[in-house]
Every structure is written in structure tokens, then in C-alpha cells.
Amino acid sequence: MSNEFDRKIWLNGNIISVCDAKINVLSPTCQFGANVFEGIRCYWNDNHKQLYAFKLKEHYKRLRNSIKMMRFEEKYTVNQMEEGLIEIVKANDYKEDIAVRQTVYLDGFGSWNSFGPIGMCINPIPKKRSYDEGKKGIHCCISSWERINDASLSPRIKVGANYINSRLAQLEAMRNGYDSSILLNNYGKVSEAPGSCIFIVRDRQLITPPITASILESITRATIIEIAEKEFNLKVSEREVERTELYIADEIFLCGTAMEIVSVLSVDKLEINQGNPGITTTKLRNKYFEIVRGTNRRYINWLTPIY
Ligand code: PMP
């Protein structure tokens, strides 16, 4: 199963080898990034001998909202989307942590202004932590690029084309020796990072930019807000965050399905918590890992068993 060319993917109702999955090079998805997608994680629980998909319902709700905002023709029901995911993960017989990319795309010979035909592709792939376990966290800069906004290209739509903004920010950061970057929005307030949302801790209070700060409505962000309040009785505030608040925060972390929870150890070369992951970040991260793998029974209804 380790050879990536042996993998099977789901394409428009067929289960085929990843090498045989072909799409039209002239389609608007190829030409303009006219596709909406979800990245969904499934975690293997060896005691339960079960693979759990995390928060499927929320992912399909967001995918349907992206389809709506893009004015794509509606082709697949939530049930069909979920059945496709389960079918293709089973077909690969994965018994390890995986990430599933589920993409609904604009096919055919139309242009960026067409409505259909619509295709769907579901691609599961083994996935470990995004940053290796030995690493304490990451170093970020503030991007010179501004985050896209709702008046031009909404970050609320999880559309492929949006990721060019993330690409510019990420590549700039890496060119300058950082691991990643944090983008400000068109009001100069903290928005999010390429592919993840941001939380800061100040005086034992958890703070995150609101969903109107040019961010993707992140499922991990909502999860963290809920577990911070329920499990740790932490006060969570969704409010505007300023750049200099990052410099003086007690703790900072990024979160997302792929990223999970990762400590930010410095911003613009100013150390956070003397360059160490903070207590609050660490306890939220540990709790998150318990929940997604199904070892914490309290949140078992967030998980969909695959087998
Ligand atoms: N912001 C952006 C731009 C993203 O691409 C992602 C990853 N999907 C996130 C935030 C985090 O969202 P989620 O927690 O739903 O994965």
C-alpha cells in the first residue's frame, strides 16, 4: 500500500487506479482552479480496529456551501458524497491515519463562467503529522501579501483558486527562512495562515479572529473553541486581533485538519513563550488527539466509523 501508484481513487462513480484517473486538460478546473474541495482526516484506532473519519457532517455542509456560492450545478447529495468516501477508503483497505481529498470540479469545455458539467473525485492518501513529532513548533513571519477578502474572492469558499494567495504567502515565508506565515486582512487585522486558522493565548484567555476576518470557516477552529470551553473551562473570545498582539502573546498556535494543532514559537523573529510550546496549547493538542482517534468517548458522535 506504500506505493502511491498502487492507490485507487474514486472518479465520477468509478473506482480506478490513480494512474488511470484522467480529466480534460481544457476543463475550467484545470484552466482556472474552478473546483471546491474538502480535506478530511481519518484516524486509525488500533484498540478498536477501526478507522474514524472526523466531523464528516461538517465537511459536507461546508462543501455544499462552497458549491452553492460557486453556483455549480448540484449533482451529488451528501449521502452520495459520504458513500463515495467510505467506498474508496475501503477499496484501499487503509488501516492507518489517512487524509482524504474530496473535490467537486467544473468539467467539460466551458470557461470560468460555466455551471457544469460537474465531476467529483475522492482521493485518500496515508498521512502522518504535518510537522514531525520531534519538532516543538514552527517559526512564522507576517506576510507581505494581504489575505483575500469577501468583496473580491471570498476565503469562505473553499475553492482551489483561493490557494494561490496561500501559495504566495507560504513561498515568500520559506524563501526568507521561516516555516510559514500569518496573513493580515484588508483592514490590517490578523486573518489566518496558509491552510490554517490561528489562536493566541493572552492572560489565560484564548483569542481567535472572528469568521468575518477573511478566514475559512475552519472545522478545527470550531472544535477547539468547543473543547476549550467544555474541557478546560477556558474563556474563548472571537475578536479582531492586531499584529502586535502576536508579538506579546503568551502562546500562539495554528490549527487545521492537515496541520492539526501546531505551536508557533516566534513571529517576525520575536520569541513566543521563550520559543517553547505553551501549557494551554499542549493540553488542547493532547485532548484533540484523544478525541479524533476515538479514545475519548465523550465526542464519539463526531466520528464516522469506516469499517
Ligand atoms: N484556513 C484555510 C485557508 C485552510 O485551507 C484550512 C484548511 N482546510 C483551514 C483554515 C483550516 O480549516 P479546517 O480546520 O476546516 O481544516
Side-chain angles (χ1 to χ4, degrees):
M1 208 43 68
S2 55
N3 185 343
E4 66 177 292
F5 301 110
D6 291 340
R7 292 189 297 112
K8 296 186 184 79
I9 83 162
W10 190 106
L11 182 65
N12 298 324
N14 301 308
I15 292 183
I16 52 180
S17 158
V18 72
C19 299
D20 298 328
K22 306 271 192 302
I23 64 161
N24 172 8
V25 292
L26 294 177
S27 59
T29 183
C30 265
Q31 297 289 314
F32 308 108
N35 56 71
V36 293
F37 66 97
E38 287 297 316
I40 299 164
R41 277 227 192 217
C42 304
Y43 292 86
W44 176 248
N45 183 317
D46 207 44
N47 290 334
H48 299 183
K49 298 285 175 242
Q50 184 56 269
L51 186 67
Y52 290 115
F54 185 61
K55 288 205 166 178
L56 269 192
K57 194 159 59 66
E58 288 77 359
H59 280 288
Y60 292 132
K61 184 172 179 194
R62 189 169 66 186
L63 188 56
R64 302 256 302 176
N65 282 340
S66 291
I67 290 168
K68 182 177 188 188
M69 289 182 280
M70 288 294 286
R71 297 171 193 267
F72 283 177
E73 282 166 8
E74 264 197 59
K75 182 161 176 194
Y76 294 101
T77 63
V78 166
N79 274 351
Q80 288 168 326
M81 290 174 177
E82 180 171 339
E83 277 164 19
L85 178 138
I86 292 173
E87 192 184 8
I88 192 60
V89 175
K90 280 184 173 163
N92 282 284
D93 198 31
Y94 284 129
K95 303 218 158 88
E96 62 194 299
D97 293 358
I98 60 168
V100 184
R101 170 66 62 87
Q102 190 152 2
T103 305
V104 174
Y105 61 91
L106 207 43
D107 203 353
F109 289 92
S111 193
W112 40 264
N113 55 0
S114 55
F115 300 95
I118 295 300
M120 183 160 75
C121 169
I122 316 173
N123 175 37
I125 187 164
K127 176 109 175 140
K128 305 246 179 299
R129 301 275 92 86
S130 353
Y131 286 94
D132 91 61
E133 300 271 14
K135 213 168 137 111
K136 287 193 295 185
I138 61 170
H139 299 274
C140 294
C141 58
I142 301 296
S143 185
S144 74
W145 295 99
E146 184 179 282
R147 184 67 180 134
I148 48 173
N149 71 79
D150 207 63
S152 53
L153 190 58
S154 179
R156 185 167 289 103
I157 313 175
K158 196 164 166 61
V159 54
N162 278 1
Y163 284 78
I164 302 308
N165 178 242
S166 308
R167 171 183 169 84
L168 296 176
Q170 181 65 31
L171 296 189
E172 177 192 54
M174 290 170 68
R175 236 177 8 252
N176 292 330
Y178 298 93
D179 298 303
S180 192
S181 69
I182 297 161
L183 290 113
L184 306 182
N185 62 25
N186 54 325
Y187 296 106
K189 307 296 179 190
V190 173
S191 167
E192 59 180 347
S196 51
C197 280
I198 185 166
F199 281 83
I200 67 173
V201 180
R202 294 193 67 189
D203 300 324
R204 293 196 41 77
Q205 197 186 337
L206 205 53
I207 305 165
T208 191
I211 56 169
T212 49
S214 297
I215 67 169
L216 179 74
E217 294 188 6
S218 153
I219 291 162
T220 320
R221 174 184 174 282
T223 303
I224 289 166
I225 291 173
E226 191 167 341
I227 62 180
E229 286 169 347
K230 276 201 189 142
E231 297 287 324
F232 302 111
N233 220 4
L234 281 167
K235 195 162 169 251
V236 185
S237 168
E238 295 177 65
R239 66 151 175 86
E240 279 181 349
V241 174
E242 299 208 295
R243 174 181 190 152
T244 50
E245 289 192 87
L246 301 180
Y247 297 158
I248 58 169
D250 301 324
E251 300 177 36
I252 304 180
F253 63 88
L254 302 182
C255 74
T257 299
M259 192 88 153
E260 300 168 312
I261 296 176
V262 172
S263 281
V264 176
L265 307 178
S266 72
V267 178
D268 287 346
K269 308 229 159 138
L270 290 171
E271 277 189 346
I272 311 300
N273 196 37
Q274 279 122 37
N276 290 302
I279 293 170
T280 306
T281 307
T282 306
K283 65 187 187 187
L284 283 167
R285 190 168 189 259
N286 292 342
K287 187 61 73 181
Y288 183 78
F289 286 152
E290 263 176 34
I291 291 171
V292 294
R293 206 174 289 288
T295 48
N296 187 321
R297 286 270 154 202
R298 189 170 179 196
Y299 300 94
I300 206 84
N301 63 335
W302 288 353
L303 311 177
T304 305
I306 298 288
Y307 296 108

